[in-house]
Amino acid sequence: MLWIQINRALDIPLNKQVYQQIREKILNGTLQGGERLASTRKLCSELNVSRNVILEAYEQLVAEGFLVSYRGSGTFVVDGALLTQSSKVPSKKRTEEKIEEPKIDFRSGIPALDLFPRKTWAKLSHHIWNDTQPIHFGYDLPEGRFELRDVLANYLLRTRGVECHPDQIVITSGATQALTIVARLLLSANDMAIMEDPITKDIQTIFTSSGASIYSIPVDQSGMMTSLLPQDQQPKFIFITPSHQFPLGGALPIHRRIQLINYVRQKKCYLVEDDYDSEFRYEGPPISSLQGLDPNYVLYVGSFSKILSPALRIGYLVLPIDLVEKCRQLKWFSDLHTPSIDQLILARFIKDGYLERHIAKMKKYYKNNRDFLIDCLQTTFSNNIKILGYSTGLHLVVELQNINFSNAMLEKIEQFGVKVYPVEEHAIIKGNHNNQIILGFGHLKKEDIQEGVTRLFQAIFDQ
Amino acid sequence: MLWIQINRALDIPLNKQVYQQIREKILNGTLQGGERLASTRKLCSELNVSRNVILEAYEQLVAEGFLVSYRGSGTFVVDGALLTQSSKVPSKKRTEEKIEEPKIDFRSGIPALDLFPRKTWAKLSHHIWNDTQPIHFGYDLPEGRFELRDVLANYLLRTRGVECHPDQIVITSGATQALTIVARLLLSANDMAIMEDPITKDIQTIFTSSGASIYSIPVDQSGMMTSLLPQDQQPKFIFITPSHQFPLGGALPIHRRIQLINYVRQKKCYLVEDDYDSEFRYEGPPISSLQGLDPNYVLYVGSFSKILSPALRIGYLVLPIDLVEKCRQLKWFSDLHTPSIDQLILARFIKDGYLERHIAKMKKYYKNNRDFLIDCLQTTFSNNIKILGYSTGLHLVVELQNINFSNAMLEKIEQFGVKVYPVEEHAIIKGNHNNQIILGFGHLKKEDIQEGVTRLFQAIFDQ
């Protein structure tokens, strides 16, 4: 029995050392089925450990079925515990993926992360984790905390004209999950949904992954060209970004909204309104929601990613009443519910007025960034440039005559230390947006904006 | 123009009052397309407000497309902004659903919520929200924070014998999401998965919702009866709870584990190991994981719901390397990633040793509850009862001879102020578990356990 090595220098309890070595020897066949082990008395004296060490190791091995004990006759290795090792290759160590951070990244939709109200959030967080009722540490309902849905219904009515009762809200883990749930709620294979073209690539992927097809309608500077809504089609829903079209930036005027409402009423389908950053409208208060025009036909999707932080992963769906129950079930089978205490912290943050103060502050900050970016672009590119969709949000679109933002061009721009995002990536019908790029400005410092625009110009015009 | 009512007593800005009333009149047709509005000068003097109030209201209405301004000729209502109101019924107010709390609820799988380490968590939470790098408030990678995956890989190796590199871990929003991702990763319509019978009802629902079928294998007191693994079938995976079968409570012995490993190697399919509460094994350290026997064939699912709090919604998947990339994509299109700061707090909680101390403390507490429940059951029911699956976790199973836990019986028990959960609810092939109920004991006080068992006896035997 001298093949068991006790090493007192290790930070592993002695019974665990004995257990591990016997286990390994059974699995690899050194100890074979039917073989009788030394008695605990004998083994403890051989290894010079207390008898409890051996007893505990044997007990664990019996519990796991490696050994069997017969009173009076001893302890034996069971049959069938041999595992051939051939295919147990060592884990290939993948190296931790580094997102290569280009020096100046005009990625859209990222708020100014260093202005996240961390002190207030930390204070509320400390307070709520300390003082909330124990029941909030348990399983919760799929629709989310009433405290949050209540302040949210109020906030949405006041700032966005969204009309709903808190019971029509389901809190989601970000807008992405809301859209995934919408897809499962409304789409089956062979169904069809209408979308703006161009529109966020990831959302196209989410809707088509169920086997549904997309009918695309082009957008102009005022959003979806609703005169092109097809009479001979039966969509399940129309997905739309009416307050701030992504990526082109238009705001849908009221007569197009009315056309949409009339269309879905006639077709008995739904509008899915994605309202991702309309709080930041720079020349006035936000455009009112489509939802408020007819809450029975609109699913309204919102998120705290742009107005607070994407890391929170909190979004929500406002639903017509008859869809609420099925949505609750889909949420339950996705992840039961969104983390409860995070919801309570956010509810308090809104209720105490911090959210609206933060938005007001950030709106000034982003407007300043936007104005500076437009200045830089106009000064640097002078007449070559058209700037679109800058009235709202955290990005704008730049159109350059006779320039094709091909992969080669984008790579060249990256070689100049700048990352920009082609509109074409989000196009459904390809080929119409090759001369347009998206520039996000929310998260960038002025010196980076200045430098980025200069380098962009140099890369494009080979200076 | 006297039809606009200004109410200075309201908490609504005057420009918003003007905006809302004109908007409503256009939508309902009181103001019709082509109609010319009073000039801002005239309207402000009529309403006795400053001209800015009217200018701002008009500007917002122009921005939203309700009005159009022609320099020199005035401001007009656009055509097509009339919305028929017929179908805009008022939102039906659902009453807030109250979960009726029965007096004593033996629901399984709920930790002792009042013992959640809230002070430590609040302290770490405050610290991390205050001090973490701003980048952590942004979008993150789908697999989750490296800080958490790193300590987790270490913890799992040490306590559960799980062998993995942090890159093989994907952090999920609880184990439910992990299982939803597993279903999408491995199952298509017409595929088949093998499951224990009985097994958690919700997990059956998750796996069959993709159109896949279930091949069930009965469990005995040692878990899945692996001798019944079908040779003539080609499953995509075997779902198994080897450390603590749910609900019957068996621990799978090593020779059955070897059979499983050999079977999936031969069939080139996977084992999905759900290890939901094995930390709480009362007569020794946890049973080692199946994953450690062959990491190339096992997807290991874990959760912090039982050892910490379900409200956190943090779980994880440990995957064979070749499945990691597809899993990352599925996570991305589910909800991008799990909330970042929550992950950082948990990582610190584990790294600083709080988790293992908490588990040790809770294990004593739960063992005490369990022993007390067994005592109460044996005293109250004497010889009528068989108690199963009590070696591990937060529940046990009670079997009563000649008793059928029918709906009528369960309702009667509820009338006695007690809620218990039939094993039959989780049965795939019905009819074999009518005399068994699940009793969770983790979250109950001793007086409730005592009282609950007494009432249960009274309800069953009509005393």
Side-chain angles (χ1 to χ4, degrees):
Chain A
M1 276 302 191
L2 281 177
W3 38 264
I4 291 183
Q5 311 248 326
I6 295 292
N7 184 345
R8 290 172 200 272
L10 290 178
D11 195 20
I12 302 172
L14 300 185
N15 59 349
K16 192 146 192 192
Q17 294 189 27
V18 174
Y19 157 82
Q20 279 172 342
Q21 290 179 55
I22 297 179
R23 178 179 187 275
E24 195 52 39
K25 282 172 207 302
I26 297 174
L27 284 172
N28 69 24
T30 311
L31 278 169
Q32 295 193 348
E35 201 162 323
R36 182 171 155 172
L37 291 200
S39 71
T40 53
R41 271 177 222 281
K42 192 172 163 208
L43 192 54
C44 72
S45 92
E46 277 184 18
L47 297 177
N48 196 21
V49 296
S50 86
R51 189 168 167 225
N52 262 348
V53 165
I54 308 299
L55 277 172
E56 283 165 19
Y58 276 27
E59 265 172 31
Q60 182 72 8
L61 289 160
V62 168
E64 298 193 6
F66 286 92
L67 300 180
V68 60
S69 269
Y70 300 108
R71 198 181 294 258
S73 29
T75 302
F76 298 84
V77 176
V78 296
D79 281 321
L82 170 68
L83 183 71
T84 49
Q85 294 298 309
S86 54
S87 77
K88 190 179 168 184
V89 298
S91 305
K92 192 171 56 174
K93 307 279 181 206
R94 289 171 63 226
T95 50
E96 176 69 353
E97 257 175 70
K98 284 241 161 38
I99 298 185
E100 252 189 62
E101 208 83 46
K103 221 166 177 187
I104 298 161
D105 188 346
F106 282 100
R107 185 174 162 186
S108 66
I110 305 180
L113 303 176
D114 49 347
L115 297 179
F116 177 81
R118 56 162 80 220
K119 284 205 188 315
T120 307
W121 200 273
K123 188 189 70 182
L124 295 179
S125 165
H126 188 259
H127 180 65
I128 290 173
W129 280 109
N130 250 326
D131 294 340
T132 200
Q133 299 167 49
I135 189 81
H136 294 154
F137 299 135
Y139 287 100
D140 211 330
L141 297 176
E143 63 268 32
R145 296 296 319 156
F146 181 78
E147 293 88 336
L148 178 56
R149 290 180 291 114
D150 191 35
V151 293
L152 192 52
N154 192 290
Y155 166 79
L156 289 174
L157 178 63
R158 203 153 22 82
T159 66
R160 313 285 305 105
V162 168
E163 289 186 17
C164 70
H165 187 270
D167 287 353
Q168 286 171 262
I169 299 178
V170 172
I171 304 295
T172 60
S173 301
T176 299
Q177 186 182 59
L179 294 170
T180 304
I181 289 176
V182 164
R184 267 178 259 154
L185 193 62
L186 301 180
L187 285 182
S188 305
N190 306 322
D191 283 343
M192 182 272 278
I194 294 179
M195 294 183 89
E196 298 154 318
D197 179 16
I199 186 68
T200 322
K201 175 80 182 141
D202 276 1
I203 302 178
Q204 299 173 38
T205 306
I206 288 170
F207 290 157
T208 53
S209 68
S210 58
S213 64
I214 299 296
Y215 184 101
S216 68
I217 295 189
V219 308
D220 60 18
Q221 290 206 36
S222 302
M224 181 184 274
M225 296 167 72
T226 47
S227 58
L228 302 176
L229 285 167
Q231 277 311 318
D232 57 346
Q233 301 279 336
Q234 182 54 56
K236 289 292 173 175
F237 62 83
I238 303 173
F239 178 81
I240 190 139
T241 52
S243 300
H244 186 217
Q245 206 280 328
F246 189 90
L248 294 185
L252 201 70
I254 186 67
H255 71 274
R256 293 195 183 178
R257 291 170 185 243
I258 302 284
Q259 279 180 343
L260 282 171
I261 296 282
N262 286 334
Y263 183 84
V264 296
R265 282 178 179 177
Q266 177 211 333
K267 294 284 187 184
K268 304 218 179 308
C269 64
Y270 293 99
L271 283 163
V272 177
E273 174 175 19
D274 188 355
D275 195 9
Y276 60 98
D277 70 356
S278 68
E279 283 86 352
F280 301 125
R281 180 162 169 265
Y282 300 117
E283 338 292 348
I287 303 283
S288 298
S289 70
L290 250 176
Q291 194 270 0
L293 293 177
D294 196 338
N296 293 317
Y297 283 89
V298 182
L299 291 80
Y300 177 90
V301 179
S303 159
F304 291 93
S305 293
K306 319 295 184 212
I307 56 178
L308 265 175
S309 154
L312 291 176
R313 308 306 315 125
I314 302 184
Y316 50 91
L317 260 170
V318 179
L319 300 132
I321 288 167
D322 53 337
L323 293 179
V324 170
E325 190 45 40
K326 185 150 181 233
C327 180
R328 292 177 77 243
Q329 287 175 33
L330 288 167
K331 172 67 179 166
W332 184 253
F333 288 108
S334 300
D335 58 3
L336 305 189
H337 59 82
T338 294
S340 312
I341 308 294
D342 295 350
Q343 293 183 59
L344 291 174
I345 297 168
L346 177 57
R348 183 73 61 84
F349 189 83
I350 299 174
K351 197 171 183 180
D352 291 355
Y354 292 115
L355 180 66
E356 284 175 73
R357 256 173 280 161
H358 181 64
I359 290 174
K361 173 184 160 186
M362 296 312 294
K363 193 163 141 174
K364 271 186 211 147
Y365 177 86
Y366 293 138
K367 180 175 189 308
N368 212 285
N369 263 16
R370 179 200 67 159
D371 292 347
F372 186 77
L373 172 58
I374 291 177
D375 255 15
C376 289
L377 287 166
Q378 284 172 337
T379 311
T380 310
F381 286 82
S382 61
N383 292 332
N384 297 302
I385 204 169
K386 210 163 134 187
I387 302 172
L388 311 170
Y390 49 80
S391 72
T392 304
L394 304 180
H395 75 271
L396 50 75
V397 167
V398 159
E399 185 177 305
L400 283 168
Q401 269 197 315
N402 306 321
I403 297 291
N404 180 355
F405 288 100
S406 60
N407 286 340
M409 172 66 88
L410 292 167
E411 271 167 36
K412 190 169 168 208
I413 293 169
E414 276 203 57
Q415 282 162 15
F416 277 74
V418 177
K419 195 154 167 57
V420 296
Y421 296 82
V423 171
E424 189 66 13
E425 189 185 324
H426 302 287
I428 298 176
I429 293 170
K430 297 292 181 188
N432 297 321
H433 301 279
N434 286 320
N435 62 346
Q436 295 171 328
I437 49 172
I438 306 162
L439 300 183
F441 52 76
H443 60 302
L444 292 177
K445 299 282 164 215
K446 282 192 177 168
E447 54 269 30
D448 288 333
I449 291 177
Q450 170 88 70
E451 179 70 18
V453 170
T454 305
R455 290 196 201 168
L456 181 63
F457 183 83
Q458 290 166 342
I460 294 173
F461 295 105
D462 224 0
Q463 306 278 309
Chain B
M1 278 301 194
L2 282 177
W3 38 262
I4 292 184
Q5 310 246 328
I6 294 293
N7 184 344
R8 289 172 201 273
L10 291 177
D11 195 20
I12 302 171
L14 300 185
N15 59 351
K16 192 143 192 195
Q17 293 190 28
V18 174
Y19 156 82
Q20 280 173 341
Q21 290 180 56
I22 296 179
R23 179 179 187 277
E24 195 53 37
K25 282 171 208 303
I26 296 173
L27 284 172
N28 69 23
T30 311
L31 277 170
Q32 295 192 349
E35 202 164 321
R36 182 172 156 172
L37 291 199
S39 72
T40 53
R41 270 176 223 283
K42 191 170 164 211
L43 191 55
C44 73
S45 92
E46 277 183 18
L47 297 178
N48 196 21
V49 296
S50 87
R51 191 169 164 224
N52 262 348
V53 166
I54 309 298
L55 277 172
E56 282 167 20
Y58 276 26
E59 264 172 31
Q60 182 72 10
L61 289 160
V62 168
E64 298 194 6
F66 286 93
L67 301 180
V68 59
S69 268
Y70 300 107
R71 197 181 293 259
S73 28
T75 303
F76 299 84
V77 177
V78 297
D79 282 322
L82 171 68
L83 183 71
T84 50
Q85 293 300 306
S86 54
S87 76
K88 191 180 169 185
V89 297
S91 304
K92 193 171 56 173
K93 308 280 183 206
R94 290 171 63 226
T95 50
E96 176 68 353
E97 259 174 69
K98 285 242 158 42
I99 298 185
E100 251 190 63
E101 208 81 47
K103 224 167 172 186
I104 297 161
D105 187 346
F106 282 100
R107 184 173 163 186
S108 66
I110 306 180
L113 303 176
D114 49 347
L115 297 180
F116 177 80
R118 56 163 79 219
K119 283 203 190 316
T120 307
W121 200 273
K123 188 188 72 184
L124 295 179
S125 166
H126 187 258
H127 180 65
I128 289 174
W129 279 110
N130 249 327
D131 294 341
T132 200
Q133 300 167 50
I135 190 82
H136 295 154
F137 299 134
Y139 287 101
D140 211 331
L141 297 176
E143 63 268 34
R145 296 296 321 156
F146 181 78
E147 293 89 335
L148 178 56
R149 290 181 290 115
D150 191 34
V151 293
L152 192 53
N154 192 290
Y155 167 79
L156 290 174
L157 178 64
R158 203 152 24 83
T159 66
R160 313 286 303 104
V162 168
E163 289 186 16
C164 69
H165 186 269
D167 287 351
Q168 286 171 262
I169 299 179
V170 172
I171 304 295
T172 60
S173 302
T176 299
Q177 186 182 60
L179 294 170
T180 304
I181 288 176
V182 164
R184 266 176 260 155
L185 192 62
L186 300 179
L187 284 183
S188 306
N190 307 322
D191 282 345
M192 183 271 278
I194 293 179
M195 294 183 90
E196 298 153 318
D197 179 17
I199 186 68
T200 322
K201 175 81 183 140
D202 276 1
I203 302 179
Q204 298 174 37
T205 306
I206 288 170
F207 290 158
T208 53
S209 68
S210 58
S213 64
I214 300 295
Y215 185 100
S216 68
I217 295 189
V219 307
D220 61 18
Q221 291 205 35
S222 303
M224 181 183 274
M225 296 168 72
T226 46
S227 58
L228 302 176
L229 284 167
Q231 278 310 318
D232 58 347
Q233 301 281 336
Q234 182 54 56
K236 290 292 172 173
F237 62 83
I238 303 173
F239 178 81
I240 189 138
T241 52
S243 299
H244 185 216
Q245 206 279 328
F246 189 89
L248 294 184
L252 201 70
I254 187 66
H255 72 275
R256 293 195 183 180
R257 291 172 185 241
I258 302 284
Q259 280 180 341
L260 281 171
I261 296 281
N262 286 334
Y263 183 84
V264 296
R265 283 179 179 176
Q266 176 211 335
K267 295 284 187 184
K268 304 216 179 309
C269 64
Y270 294 99
L271 282 164
V272 177
E273 174 176 21
D274 188 356
D275 195 9
Y276 60 100
D277 70 358
S278 68
E279 283 86 351
F280 302 126
R281 181 162 169 265
Y282 301 117
E283 338 293 350
I287 304 283
S288 298
S289 70
L290 251 176
Q291 195 270 1
L293 292 177
D294 196 339
N296 293 318
Y297 283 89
V298 182
L299 292 80
Y300 178 91
V301 178
S303 159
F304 291 93
S305 293
K306 318 295 186 213
I307 56 177
L308 264 175
S309 154
L312 291 176
R313 310 303 317 123
I314 302 185
Y316 50 90
L317 259 169
V318 179
L319 300 132
I321 288 167
D322 53 338
L323 294 179
V324 170
E325 188 48 39
K326 185 150 179 232
C327 180
R328 293 177 76 242
Q329 286 175 32
L330 288 168
K331 172 67 179 167
W332 184 253
F333 287 108
S334 299
D335 59 3
L336 305 189
H337 59 82
T338 293
S340 312
I341 309 295
D342 295 350
Q343 293 182 59
L344 291 174
I345 297 168
L346 177 57
R348 184 73 61 86
F349 189 84
I350 299 173
K351 197 169 185 183
D352 291 357
Y354 293 114
L355 180 67
E356 283 174 74
R357 257 173 280 161
H358 181 65
I359 290 174
K361 172 185 161 186
M362 296 312 294
K363 192 163 142 175
K364 272 187 210 148
Y365 178 86
Y366 293 137
K367 180 175 191 306
N368 212 285
N369 265 15
R370 179 200 67 157
D371 293 347
F372 186 78
L373 172 59
I374 292 177
D375 255 15
C376 289
L377 287 166
Q378 283 171 337
T379 312
T380 311
F381 286 82
S382 60
N383 291 332
N384 296 301
I385 205 168
K386 209 163 134 187
I387 302 173
L388 311 170
Y390 50 81
S391 71
T392 303
L394 305 180
H395 75 271
L396 50 75
V397 168
V398 159
E399 185 176 305
L400 283 168
Q401 268 198 314
N402 304 321
I403 296 292
N404 181 355
F405 288 100
S406 60
N407 286 340
M409 173 64 90
L410 293 167
E411 271 166 38
K412 191 170 166 207
I413 292 170
E414 276 203 57
Q415 281 161 17
F416 277 73
V418 177
K419 194 154 168 55
V420 298
Y421 296 82
V423 170
E424 188 67 13
E425 189 185 324
H426 303 287
I428 298 175
I429 293 170
K430 298 292 181 188
N432 297 321
H433 301 279
N434 285 321
N435 61 345
Q436 295 172 327
I437 48 173
I438 305 162
L439 300 183
F441 53 76
H443 60 302
L444 293 176
K445 301 282 164 215
K446 283 192 177 169
E447 55 269 30
D448 287 333
I449 291 176
Q450 170 88 71
E451 179 69 18
V453 169
T454 305
R455 291 195 201 171
L456 181 63
F457 182 83
Q458 290 168 342
I460 294 172
F461 295 106
D462 222 358
Q463 308 279 308

